[in-house]
Amino acid sequence: ADSANAYLVMFISNHCPFVKHMREELARIGRDYGDRGVANYAINSNDVERYPADNPDAMKQEAQTWGYPFAYLHDETQDIAKQYRAACTPDFYVFDASQKLVYRGQFDDSRPSNKKPVDGRDLRAALDAVLAGTAVNDHQVPSIGCSIKWKPGNEPTYG
């Protein structure tokens, strides 16, 4: 995927209620934008010793159950999450064709506890802008969800 029109990197997990809330729409976005030349990657960085629901076998089952059309990768060392400074699941990053970060923010305004539609509006707007060659909105609302489940002693210290 060295020559994608855009890149979407998502930090997700199987057990987080915020991710569960949007699974169908995650798959839909993967299909919609994969067809438009966006390289999609989902990464699970959680500690699978303490959170076995996030182990690679469970990830494979999750991807099959929900029809994820993107690679769902296990970050066993948690180094990738640290390099991205990922804070939670879900956490979304959009890069343009030259691999420059242009969006880091929420999926949409929907939460498990509110009645707002799960439509991926914020993420779709960022992807649409990149694909249209226009600027991504500077107003980017940080994602909210479950903390990354760091291995004991592996918690990042961001300066």
Side-chain angles (χ1 to χ4, degrees), residues 4-5 7 95-100:
N5 295 328
Y7 301 83
F95 299 84
D96 65 16
S98 62
Q99 301 181 15
K100 176 180 177 255

Side-chain angles (χ1 to χ4, degrees), residues 8-62:
L8 169 60
V9 177
M10 308 169 268
F11 285 85
I12 65 173
S13 69
N14 296 349
H15 80 274
C16 173
F18 289 85
V19 176
K20 287 181 175 182
H21 179 67
M22 63 179 62
R23 293 185 289 207
E24 288 179 57
E25 188 62 17
L26 279 177
R28 191 174 298 117
I29 282 179
R31 289 190 301 274
D32 290 352
Y33 289 92
D35 290 346
R36 295 173 64 191
V38 175
N40 298 288
Y41 304 94
I43 301 169
N44 185 342
S45 298
N46 282 348
D47 175 5
V48 299
E49 294 294 316
R50 291 186 302 146
Y51 296 87
D54 285 324
N55 74 42
D57 288 338
M59 290 169 57
K60 184 176 182 182
Q61 184 61 49
E62 181 86 352

Side-chain angles (χ1 to χ4, degrees), residues 31-123:
R31 289 190 301 274
D32 290 352
Y33 289 92
D35 290 346
R36 295 173 64 191
V38 175
N40 298 288
Y41 304 94
I43 301 169
N44 185 342
S45 298
N46 282 348
D47 175 5
V48 299
E49 294 294 316
R50 291 186 302 146
Y51 296 87
D54 285 324
N55 74 42
D57 288 338
M59 290 169 57
K60 184 176 182 182
Q61 184 61 49
E62 181 86 352
Q64 289 174 341
T65 299
W66 295 99
Y68 289 167
F70 40 76
Y72 189 13
L73 309 166
H74 180 222
D75 177 19
E76 184 178 358
T77 64
Q78 301 183 314
D79 290 345
I80 305 301
K82 286 181 177 180
Q83 288 171 5
Y84 277 83
R85 293 179 174 236
C88 59
T89 60
D91 212 348
F92 299 94
Y93 300 75
V94 175
F95 299 84
D96 65 16
S98 62
Q99 301 181 15
K100 176 180 177 255
L101 179 65
V102 293
Y103 180 81
R104 181 183 180 190
Q106 70 176 5
F107 193 67
D108 56 31
D109 291 328
S110 184
R111 305 287 182 262
S113 59
N114 70 25
K115 302 288 187 224
K116 295 184 179 181
V118 181
D119 56 14
R121 185 183 61 207
D122 296 52
L123 183 59

